[in-house]
Each structure stands twice: as C-alpha cells, then as structure tokens.
Amino acid sequence: MAIGNKSKKSLLITLGAIPKLVAVLSKEDAGLEFVVEAIVVLGSFARAASKENITALLQNHVLEVLLKGICHSDRRVVEASVRSLRTLYLSNLTPSDPLYENPSVIPRLVDLLSGSYTEAECAASVIAKCCQNPGHQALLCNSGAVDALLPLLTCNIPKILLPTLQCYTALSYQNEPVSLSMKAASYNGEGMESLLTHLLSRDKPDDVQLAAAKCLTNMFRVGLFDSTTSQSLLLKILGTCVRMCRKDKPLAVRAEGGETLAYLIEEDTELQQLAAISDHLVKTLIGFLHREDLDDDSYAAMRESSFKALASLGANDEDIRKKIIELESTMDHVVTGLEDTNPDVQLAAVKCLHSLSRSVQQLRTSLQDTMVWKPIMKLMHNASEGMLTVASSALCNLLLEFSPSKEPILEAGAVSLLAGLTKRPESALRLNGIWALMNMAYQADEMTKSKILEVLGPTQLFNLLEDPDTNVVMKTLGLMRNLLSGREVSPNITHIVDLTSHT
C-alpha cells in the first residue's frame, strides 16, 4: 500500500501508523519477519520527503530504532535498517548528532563498508551526510573509514562509487591530518591519488568525475601537492571542473562544478589565469545567472555557484576582472544577488563584489554606475558574522580615496556602522571596521575627520592600539596618521595630539 504511493504514505502516517510500528518493534518478542517488514515500511515513509512526514518519523524515535537495527545480529534486519537510515538522511531535517552519541554506531557503519554492496552504498551515504565538522572527521578516520572505503574505489558501479567519493570529500574538507591519511592509503599497491586520478577519466559518469575532482581539490587545498610538482594532475582537475560547467551537463552537475572550481582556484593565481582562458568559462558562468526555465532551488544553486566561481576567477588579475564585468550586464546580476532573499546566494554575491571591487578602474566606472554600495549598506544591518565579514571587506574597497562611492556611503551613516565593528569580539570585524575608517579618513575634509573621531571616540581609538591582533593595531595607526595629516589642524585633531602626548 505504501511503497510508491506518496498519498497513501501520508494517509497512513496521519492515521498513526508510525507509533504503532515503533511500539511493536520495541517488544522483545517481535518476530524477525515483522521487524524487517516494519523497518522497510518506515523507510518507505521517509521517502515521502515532506517536512511533516520526516518530523513525524523523528518525533516517534524512528532514527533511534534504525540505529539500533544496524547493530542487530540478523543480517536481514541490518540491511533493512541501513537502507531506511540512508533514506531518512536524504532529508536535511535528520540530525547527525545521534550517530556520534552512541559509541557503537560509527564503528558499525564503518564495518558495513566492507559488507554487501547494498550495505556499503547505504553506509557510505549516511557517513557522507553526517560528517560535518573536524570532530566527526577525526572520529571516522580513527575508526578506520579511510581504509574501509578504499576497495570501493575500484568498483565500476557508479551508485557505489559516488557515495564512496562523497565520503572521502567530507572527510578531507579543510582537514590536513585526514587528507594525509588518505594520501598514504593504498589498495593492491595503488595509492589514493592514483585511484582518484583514474576516476577523472571521461569514460566515467559526470558525477563520478566531479566527485573525484572534489576529493583531489580538498587534498590540494590543504597543501598535499602544489602547482609545480603536480602540474599535470592539477590541469586534469581544472579541466574536469571547467568541463562540468558546460551547458550540456545536468543542472546539478553544473552548479557543483562551479563550486568545486571556485574552491580549487581560490588562492592560486596561475590556476585562475588558466581557468579564465579555458573553454569560454567566464561567459559560461555568467550564463548561470539567467533564469531560463529553472525552479527556485535550481536557480539559487546556479547563481550561488556562478558568483563563487567568478569571485575566485577575479581575485587577483585586473584583466580577468575587466573581462567579467564587461560581459552581459554582470554588475546588474551582482546587485540583484545582493538583494536576493536566499542568504547563500546573497553571501556569494557579496564575495563576488568583494573580488571585483579590487579593481581601481571598475571602482570608478561599473561599480559606481550600478551603485552597489546601496545594497551593501543595507545588508550590513543585522547580518550574520560571515556576511558582515565579507561585506565590510567590500566596503573597505568602496571607501578608497579614488572611489566615487565614498561620499554617498559617508552620507548613508557608514561612520557609525564601522565604529560599531571596531567593538566586536571577532578580530576580522574589528580589522575591517578600522581599515574602512582608515580609508575613509585618507585625504578627507576636516568635517569627515571630526565625525570619525566623534563617533569612534578617543578612548576606543587608544583601546585599538592595544588590540591583540597586530593587523588591527597597524590599521589604527594608519587611521591616526590620516586623521593627523592635512594642511589645517582642527581642534579635534589637536585633542588627539594632546592625548598622544600623555600616553
């Protein structure tokens, strides 16, 4: 009745089937056949995927039942449980913490990686979804996940390869010790790097190629190989990412390809330059920003991916930035992104603006023409720490002396906003706040200088000189230099000199 029929799933859930099944499952004398079938039905309910249905499953302790099931002595119960567990974790509503609270669960999942293909596929999918922080990564690595997954990399079945690669991607992300363990691992005499490189081959499915590229990208970003000694490998990874952005690829692959590309080239100028001349990439990425016939989720994913990739491409090279901005109303898309209701798209757009705002020429032209300072100032109010950090970095550039946006930003109340940042506990926000004020004060008129001193206050100014972050201290000294410089000395500036002489 339930399998393959969403309406009947929902009806049965409404009628209270879940607590009844869980109650009978909890009885000591429950027969194995019933246990297996009941777990299968609960897994089928999880495929209904609506928020209400997943919530009902979680509230009735189905997750705990399934975690207990994977530790059962009967293999049929184990396989049914891990399959239903994988299905339940397709929803982002399912929490990861319960896996790590029970000391027997993670070792059991790792053990299942060496079981049947079905068990291995489902266990790898669960691990990939639930590996979310350095603590999780370390525990899984110490439990033997790196070695247990290795034989699966030699399997030619895509539905096994993909969750395996996703596991390695989750394990290695921004984690050098785990990445080192991966690099040192080998199977039948072949190392991890070689196994992953084979999976970049064009005869592999797109999602497998991309997943292998993500694993290798993570290893590159933590410094396990560099662009000099591993140039051939990096070109293969770069080529794979660029190829996955093509218009003939599935939407999900294109979006993920752009994200992976952005991470790969983010800090490497040579890779940025190579990517910029590869396969009309800039034009392809800007094509991501067009709505076409996409649903809301797909459109958001494409835009986020595009903004991140464009931000990485234009991070260091003026010619690349010019190329990006001059194509197809790029800045109009960026402004729209800054005003997007999706916070992930909005943050990616801010990163893109921050990258493009490093251009002196563009500050005077395109960035001024589109008045990007308005949405930046707006979103800085009540923004998250991550958003505020990137937005304030972009604002630093918009406040440079040669930027036409400087005056309207001042009039919009930037002094109070930036002075507030200097009092934040986060070092990056204090730095951006004082840096922007330093830029604002450079060759400013006496009214602007007086306003900065009035709002910031001498006490806070000298507090910043004792900041534990040396960069904050240096920018504070830069602000004082800019406040003190000029042909005329105002009473407020004289006040600074008087304070300095007593310090």
Side-chain angles (χ1 to χ4, degrees):
M1 289 176 62
I3 292 174
N5 192 319
K6 288 187 177 181
S7 61
K8 286 189 177 180
K9 293 183 206 287
S10 298
L11 177 60
L12 288 165
I13 290 172
T14 302
L15 293 172
I18 294 175
K20 289 182 172 63
L21 286 171
V22 171
V24 181
L25 275 171
S26 302
K27 293 182 178 179
E28 294 293 333
D29 59 348
L32 282 177
E33 292 297 333
F34 174 83
V35 170
V36 172
E37 292 298 330
I39 289 173
V40 169
V41 173
L42 291 173
S44 180
F45 286 160
R47 283 197 179 276
S50 72
K51 180 179 179 180
E52 294 75 18
N53 291 348
I54 297 297
T55 300
L57 288 164
L58 295 175
Q59 288 178 344
N60 285 285
H61 311 290
V62 170
L63 179 57
E64 291 89 330
V65 169
L66 298 180
L67 293 178
K68 183 179 178 181
I70 66 171
C71 299
H72 200 277
S73 58
D74 187 278
R75 212 67 191 185
R76 292 173 299 168
V77 176
V78 172
E79 183 171 314
S81 297
V82 76
R83 290 177 67 178
S84 294
L85 191 65
R86 185 269 309 270
T87 304
L88 189 59
Y89 271 108
L90 292 176
S91 170
N92 291 327
L93 295 174
T94 309
S96 300
D97 290 343
L99 270 70
Y100 300 93
E101 292 167 356
N102 185 332
S104 63
V105 168
I106 292 299
R108 184 55 170 164
L109 283 171
V110 172
D111 181 60
L112 291 176
L113 295 172
S114 304
S116 68
Y117 275 160
T118 298
E119 292 171 347
E121 175 200 349
C122 295
S125 298
V126 172
I127 291 171
K129 186 68 179 288
C130 296
C131 182
Q132 297 180 347
N133 60 51
H136 295 170
Q137 292 168 325
L139 178 59
L140 286 161
C141 184
N142 293 336
S143 298
V146 171
D147 290 329
L149 286 162
L150 262 179
L152 301 177
L153 283 183
T154 62
C155 167
N156 288 320
I157 304 174
K159 71 175 186 177
I160 304 293
L161 278 172
L162 191 57
T164 301
L165 291 166
Q166 290 169 341
C167 259
Y168 278 130
T169 299
L171 284 165
S172 60
Y173 181 66
Q174 295 184 344
N175 193 313
E176 184 178 358
V178 175
S179 295
L180 281 168
S181 296
M182 288 170 53
K183 187 175 176 63
S186 63
Y187 181 69
N188 289 339
E190 191 169 10
M192 171 78 76
E193 185 178 316
S194 176
L195 290 169
L196 292 174
T197 303
H198 289 326
L199 296 176
L200 296 177
S201 174
R202 295 194 185 199
D203 64 347
K204 303 296 182 186
D206 290 339
D207 49 5
V208 170
Q209 292 181 53
L210 185 53
K214 289 182 73 172
C215 291
L216 289 165
T217 294
N218 287 352
M219 296 169 74
F220 166 64
R221 285 301 307 270
V222 296
L224 296 198
F225 44 86
D226 56 48
S227 54
T228 302
T229 59
S230 304
Q231 186 176 33
S232 176
L233 175 58
L234 284 171
L235 288 176
K236 286 183 179 179
I237 302 169
L238 179 63
T240 299
C241 293
V242 171
R243 195 167 62 251
M244 293 305 140
C245 293
R246 290 177 180 171
K247 195 166 186 177
D248 61 339
K249 301 298 182 184
L251 288 175
V253 169
R254 296 179 72 197
E256 194 171 355
E259 289 251 7
T260 307
L261 175 72
Y263 189 52
L264 173 68
I265 69 175
E266 187 176 20
E267 296 181 354
D268 193 297
T269 303
E270 184 178 347
L271 288 178
Q272 291 162 9
Q273 293 170 341
L274 286 171
I277 59 173
S278 300
D279 200 18
H280 308 288
L281 179 65
V282 174
K283 189 173 183 179
T284 298
L285 290 172
I286 292 175
F288 283 20
L289 299 172
H290 297 294
R291 179 85 200 208
E292 298 178 349
D293 296 323
L294 306 181
D295 59 63
D296 289 344
D297 289 342
S298 297
Y299 184 45
M302 295 291 281
R303 296 177 78 206
E304 181 185 356
S305 172
S306 174
F307 286 136
K308 286 181 177 179
L310 292 171
S312 291
L313 276 170
N316 296 294
D317 191 291
E318 179 67 19
D319 290 336
I320 297 175
R321 285 192 284 260
K322 182 179 179 182
K323 185 177 181 180
I324 292 171
I325 289 176
E326 290 181 350
L327 273 175
E328 302 184 45
S329 305
T330 304
M331 290 312 303
D332 292 334
H333 287 297
V334 172
V335 171
T336 303
L338 294 173
E339 298 171 339
D340 200 282
T341 55
N342 185 309
D344 294 328
V345 173
Q346 197 176 50
L347 179 58
V350 176
K351 289 180 178 178
C352 186
L353 173 62
H354 178 219
S355 178
L356 299 178
S357 67
R358 292 170 178 156
S359 168
V360 174
Q361 179 183 356
Q362 303 307 329
L363 281 173
R364 292 183 178 275
T365 55
S366 299
L367 300 189
Q368 172 61 16
D369 293 342
T370 51
M371 293 191 290
V372 293
W373 63 269
K374 285 187 176 182
I376 281 287
M377 288 292 291
K378 182 178 179 181
L379 65 83
M380 285 185 68
H381 295 282
N382 302 316
S384 64
E385 179 186 342
M387 177 75 77
L388 202 53
T389 301
V390 183
S392 56
S393 297
L395 197 60
C396 285
N397 294 339
L398 295 174
L399 284 167
L400 288 168
E401 183 266 336
F402 46 75
S403 170
S405 302
K406 183 174 180 178
E407 290 302 322
I409 291 174
L410 281 169
E411 294 171 2
V415 176
S416 298
L417 187 63
L418 296 170
L421 292 184
T422 69
K423 300 175 183 178
R424 293 286 296 256
E426 301 87 358
S427 178
L429 292 179
R430 295 198 305 278
L431 175 61
N432 285 351
I434 198 66
W435 197 334
L437 287 171
M438 182 190 78
N439 289 347
M440 186 185 294
Y442 181 69
Q443 294 189 356
D445 56 42
E446 292 305 321
M447 182 178 297
T448 300
K449 292 180 179 180
S450 297
K451 178 70 172 178
I452 292 171
L453 183 59
E454 176 188 346
V455 175
L456 185 62
T459 301
Q460 178 62 7
L461 189 64
F462 285 101
N463 285 341
L464 292 169
L465 290 174
E466 299 177 353
D467 196 279
D469 187 331
T470 304
N471 291 320
V472 173
V473 175
M474 294 301 294
K475 296 305 175 186
T476 304
L477 290 171
L479 171 62
M480 294 182 70
R481 175 202 61 207
N482 291 345
L483 289 173
L484 290 166
S485 63
R487 295 180 180 177
E488 297 181 5
V489 182
S490 71
N492 281 328
I493 304 305
T494 304
H495 184 47
I496 293 180
V497 177
D498 290 341
L499 284 171
T500 305
S501 64
H502 291 94
T503 301

